[in-house]
Amino acid sequence: MTAPLLSVNDLKVHFEIGRRGLFGGARHVLKAVDGVSFDLRPGETLGLVGESGCGKSTLGRAILRLLPLQSGRTVWLGRDLARLAPREMREMRREMQIIFQDPLASLNPRMTAGEIIAEPLVTFRPELKRAEVKQRVQAMMAKVGLLPNQINRYPHEFSGGQCQRIGIARAIINEPRLIVCDEPVSALDVSIQAQIINLLMDLQAEMGLSLIFISHNLAVVRHISHRVMVLYLGKVMEIADRDSLYANPLHPYTQALNSAVPVPDPDIERAKPRVVLKGDLPSPLNPPSGCPFRTRCPRATQVCAECMPALERAGADHMVACHHAAMPDRP
Amino acid sequence: MTTPQFSAMEPVLEVAGLNTLFATPEGDVRAVSDVAFAIARGETLGIVGESGSGKSQIFMSVMGLLARNGRASGSVRVTGTEILNAPVAELNRVRGARMSMIFQDPMTSLNPYLTVRRQMTEVLMTHKGLGEEAAAQASIEMLERVQIPEAGRRIGMYPHEFSGGMRQRVMIAMALLCGPELLIADEPTTALDVTVQAQILDLLMQLKRDTGMAIALITHDLGVIAGLADRVIVMYGGRIVEQAPVRDIFRRPQHPYTEGLLKSMPRLDEHGVTRLQTIGGQPPNLQNLPSGCAFRDRCAYAFDLCAAERPDLTSLGEGRARACHLPQLGEVA
């Protein structure tokens, strides 16, 4: 097996909430990401799924060191990112990029498409001549399916799908090894979603990119990922290769998520058994004791309130954190 | 136009020749063009389309809720009464009573300054002339019906004290207070997490069974349509391009756009991973639609006639219609 590109070990991101004013309010700690570990191999896509507030975007940003870590290690090709000097880290950023959900909001409205795409290139390669920059930008635009003659247009002149292509061109111009894709298709219409998914998969095949693909859409994640990690209130519930996760989900939360996704087929959709979870996600400021999922879990017992189950091996490339993972679906 | 099992009954909503225009500095934009359809009693009609397809503006016209620069023409009849462009006083007798609407974002449709109690009792006091105590009692019962726990206590809370899913339940409860014959649901689950979406869809299904009300379900999500709708209308560029009973839309789509939408969706039940088929190009710009068929520049099958002449919505029998020049399409595997 190839060495991992990125190794994340017991990563924690905590935010301190409150404590305002002269005398300070009560101090609360929000554990957005709480002890996440995984490896990402070169050329692999890891899907991150979970409901809003589960910590998937925070994790994506923490990996890129766009957020300070509470504790834990992120090791990039054998080097601990936390130990790098700021200058070394800056150099490293070339290799890791991010694209965002709202394509228009993530582009500077006062810069042209060409300036936006050129910015990372000019930052890291200040010696390049203007003509060469322009030529590379145009090549990149062609690669992501934009017309090179649109180079002087502003973001508002593009549609949502085209803006996302600009964001992708900006992310790949320095030939990174990793792109964190934070809900990159959620704001797009169905017909455009498919174009962007295909583009990302083509670029991955061509450039050998690793992707961390964050989405709440399980069908999209299934389509694009090699491995999938399911998060709930900052903790990993299950991580497995794509096929075992979808064919044989072991965690009751994964099962519930899976059955909640509407299938575009009236006969299947109306006949399928559903695990409808009660209630909403608990507040991350005041998570349940033990397993955070237990308040909504159909299998919860006393032990679930007492301690958080460890992430344990359940198959060749399948880990699950549940006291009752081996329980049959219908007791 | 309606499927056989509903055709014997008088429609709850009848829309004919509806055109909705918005005046802009760049000239008029036609958001809805020549739209006609009916919803039978107890029927759930799904309206699918992408952003800008006109699917929401149809129902904003129906409800008399168009933005100030918008104007609608044509005919909208609710249980036989013409209400398009009716005076507000007349509209208010129908809205909230015989038909009501819920929206994607319950936070923006609830008043943040008023308790849920105040907002709910107001509906019953206005439409039904109930006293405040009776209205509050009926409101609590309705909140229990949409499965809000501790309804008696929570009715005194403000909208921000509810979670997103609970707020959508409050919206639904408020919409159902007067026992409307038609509920218009505009992307009711789009802002919700998938597990909460499943809860709300279950609730809508249950209410539909118990009350027999008709539902107009506006959504971009074909999965939601598959679970809930009896019949489906597909919108593109402000026009209806296809309509059919729900099974036919998924099994034998007759418009290339419908077919394209179905094939471009990644599915949880797909076998292996194949490359997604895409619909090329961009969603249409209503200010600058191509000549002829609005979909032709994205259509894999387009030929000369598609640019020369806009296809009319033509009946194919069995409650089906489509607007396309092509010979009928085959079955989807």
Side-chain angles (χ1 to χ4, degrees):
Chain A
M1 192 173 281
T2 42
L5 173 72
L6 176 75
S7 232
V8 171
N9 199 348
D10 201 22
L11 187 81
K12 293 184 180 172
V13 184
H14 294 179
F15 298 103
E16 204 166 294
I17 310 277
R19 225 179 198 184
R20 269 169 296 174
L22 184 58
F23 301 106
R27 180 173 170 272
H28 296 286
V29 175
L30 192 155
K31 299 177 175 176
V33 175
D34 201 26
V36 170
S37 306
F38 65 90
D39 283 348
L40 182 70
R41 294 162 205 141
E44 179 182 56
T45 301
L46 175 70
L48 297 190
V49 294
E51 296 175 277
S52 37
C54 72
K56 51 193 193 301
S57 292
T58 304
L59 176 58
R61 278 158 214 222
I63 291 165
L64 300 181
R65 277 189 68 192
L66 296 174
L67 286 171
L69 308 184
Q70 184 74 23
S71 64
R73 272 158 44 98
T74 48
V75 178
W76 178 267
L77 292 170
R79 300 179 71 188
D80 187 344
L81 290 183
R83 292 178 183 213
L84 295 181
R87 259 190 54 204
E88 288 176 300
M89 185 61 211
R90 240 193 80 172
E91 200 50 40
M92 210 62 110
R93 291 201 181 283
R94 228 172 127 149
E95 312 229 298
M96 41 185 95
Q97 291 293 323
I98 184 166
I99 55 178
F100 300 95
Q101 171 169 3
D102 186 336
L104 194 55
S106 55
L107 305 177
N108 185 336
R110 289 162 183 262
M111 289 166 76
T112 63
E115 287 165 350
I116 290 168
I117 298 168
E119 199 177 25
L121 184 64
V122 176
T123 306
F124 283 106
R125 304 278 307 274
E127 77 284 0
L128 285 182
K129 298 229 163 33
R130 277 182 71 171
E132 195 169 348
V133 170
K134 184 176 177 189
Q135 183 228 321
R136 288 199 190 197
V137 166
Q138 285 183 325
M140 214 43 70
M141 290 178 78
K143 198 169 191 166
V144 299
L146 293 165
L147 299 172
N149 65 15
Q150 295 171 321
I151 192 166
N152 289 323
R153 294 212 193 158
Y154 288 90
H156 74 268
E157 298 176 74
F158 293 92
S159 67
Q162 287 171 321
C163 285
Q164 199 55 285
R165 289 175 195 270
I166 296 175
I168 293 172
R170 170 176 66 183
I172 61 172
I173 196 160
N174 278 325
E175 301 188 340
R177 296 187 203 231
L178 167 69
I179 301 181
V180 173
C181 309
D182 190 357
E183 301 268 10
V185 298
S186 306
L188 305 176
D189 275 319
V190 178
S191 68
I192 306 303
Q193 251 184 35
Q195 296 176 5
I196 298 296
I197 293 169
N198 282 348
L199 173 63
L200 285 170
M201 292 176 82
D202 291 347
L203 290 172
Q204 172 168 55
E206 192 183 323
M207 305 171 68
L209 286 166
S210 297
L211 301 177
I212 291 180
F213 193 93
I214 301 166
S215 177
H216 67 281
N217 185 329
L218 274 89
V220 169
V221 166
R222 182 189 187 284
H223 188 84
I224 200 168
S225 307
H226 301 105
R227 279 196 307 148
V228 179
M229 177 155 94
V230 181
L231 286 169
Y232 191 82
L233 286 186
K235 290 194 158 75
V236 180
M237 299 286 109
E238 188 162 7
I239 177 167
D241 65 277
R242 190 251 327 272
D243 292 337
S244 31
L245 189 98
Y246 284 91
N248 183 26
L250 295 174
H251 199 286
Y253 180 56
T254 317
Q255 292 170 356
L257 276 182
N258 251 327
S259 78
V261 177
V263 176
D265 181 310
D267 294 319
I268 298 174
E269 177 60 17
R270 285 166 210 222
K272 76 176 185 192
R274 289 218 237 195
V275 191
V276 174
L277 293 179
K278 290 193 179 58
D280 301 293
L281 208 68
S283 161
L285 272 175
N286 185 19
S289 65
C291 171
F293 182 58
R294 69 172 167 88
T295 51
R296 300 172 77 196
C297 181
R299 296 183 197 165
T301 58
Q302 187 58 36
V303 64
C304 306
E306 285 159 6
C307 68
M308 172 67 198
L311 195 62
E312 278 169 11
R313 189 160 296 283
D317 191 5
H318 201 145
M319 311 270 283
V320 62
C322 177
H323 292 300
H324 306 302
M327 235 188 201
D329 285 351
R330 296 266 174 274
Chain B
M1 182 169 288
T2 50
T3 48
Q5 75 245 46
F6 295 108
S7 59
M9 292 177 272
E10 179 205 17
V12 177
L13 178 72
E14 236 180 322
V15 172
L18 181 70
N19 282 281
T20 303
L21 282 93
F22 289 92
T24 73
E26 289 88 42
D28 281 355
V29 174
R30 189 180 281 257
V32 178
S33 300
D34 297 326
V35 163
F37 63 91
I39 304 180
R41 278 176 202 282
E43 184 187 29
T44 299
L45 177 71
I47 299 96
V48 224
E50 298 182 277
S51 36
S53 64
K55 59 187 190 303
S56 292
Q57 292 310 329
I58 293 176
F59 290 92
M60 296 305 254
S61 309
V62 166
M63 289 291 280
L65 293 174
L66 288 177
R68 207 167 285 171
N69 63 338
R71 55 184 199 278
S73 61
S75 161
V76 172
R77 296 164 82 88
V78 175
T79 55
T81 319
E82 176 65 47
I83 59 155
L84 189 68
N85 300 323
V88 173
E90 212 169 293
L91 267 177
N92 282 349
R93 280 200 292 276
V94 180
R95 293 190 293 206
R98 279 195 269 166
M99 63 172 180
S100 44
M101 187 160 180
I102 58 174
F103 300 89
Q104 173 172 346
D105 183 354
M107 199 58 206
T108 53
S109 7
L110 292 168
N111 187 330
Y113 292 112
L114 302 179
T115 60
V116 166
R117 177 192 169 101
R118 177 77 195 282
Q119 299 185 53
M120 289 188 79
T121 51
E122 188 182 30
V123 177
L124 286 169
M125 289 158 71
T126 309
H127 286 295
K128 295 250 159 121
L130 292 188
E132 205 189 326
E133 269 317 303
Q137 200 46 48
S139 302
I140 291 172
E141 277 163 27
M142 191 54 78
L143 289 177
E144 282 167 352
R145 190 149 178 204
V146 299
Q147 295 147 26
I148 292 189
E150 299 178 78
R153 184 176 66 82
R154 302 192 76 177
I155 194 170
M157 292 167 49
Y158 289 89
H160 74 268
E161 298 178 85
F162 291 82
S163 68
M166 284 296 153
R167 273 200 291 265
Q168 196 55 286
R169 286 175 196 267
V170 171
M171 278 291 294
I172 294 171
M174 202 179 289
L176 299 187
L177 277 174
C178 296
E181 287 156 281
L182 173 66
L183 175 71
I184 301 169
D186 189 356
E187 303 269 10
T189 60
T190 306
L192 305 174
D193 275 317
V194 51
T195 59
V196 180
Q197 164 171 285
Q199 295 168 2
I200 298 293
L201 293 178
D202 268 14
L203 174 66
L204 285 174
M205 250 181 267
Q206 198 181 320
L207 291 168
K208 171 186 160 178
R209 252 196 330 265
D210 298 351
T211 62
M213 69 178 170
I215 301 178
L217 178 68
I218 306 163
T219 178
H220 69 283
D221 187 337
L222 286 162
V224 170
I225 291 280
L228 222 54
D230 301 310
R231 208 156 51 87
V232 183
I233 282 178
V234 182
M235 298 285 302
Y236 190 84
R239 289 177 191 273
I240 298 177
V241 293
E242 178 161 13
Q243 63 183 51
V246 67
R247 276 195 177 74
D248 295 329
I249 280 285
F250 288 92
R251 294 271 180 275
R252 288 177 293 275
Q254 284 303 323
H255 195 284
Y257 175 62
T258 317
E259 187 192 57
L261 276 185
L262 284 167
K263 286 188 174 163
S264 62
M265 280 180 81
R267 299 171 54 139
L268 268 191
D269 58 339
E270 68 188 5
H271 299 290
V273 172
T274 45
R275 195 178 161 79
L276 291 176
Q277 289 198 26
T278 62
I279 302 176
Q282 305 297 326
N285 174 357
L286 288 173
Q287 258 162 323
N288 190 16
L289 286 179
S291 66
C293 173
F295 185 59
R296 69 169 164 87
D297 54 358
R298 303 178 72 192
C299 180
Y301 314 114
F303 61 110
D304 312 352
L305 186 58
C306 304
E309 205 177 294
R310 194 186 64 238
D312 289 326
L313 188 67
T314 315
S315 170
L316 304 172
E318 297 172 335
R320 311 203 51 171
R322 66 161 190 174
C324 182
H325 290 309
L326 288 170
Q328 291 202 21
L329 307 178
E331 196 146 331
V332 168

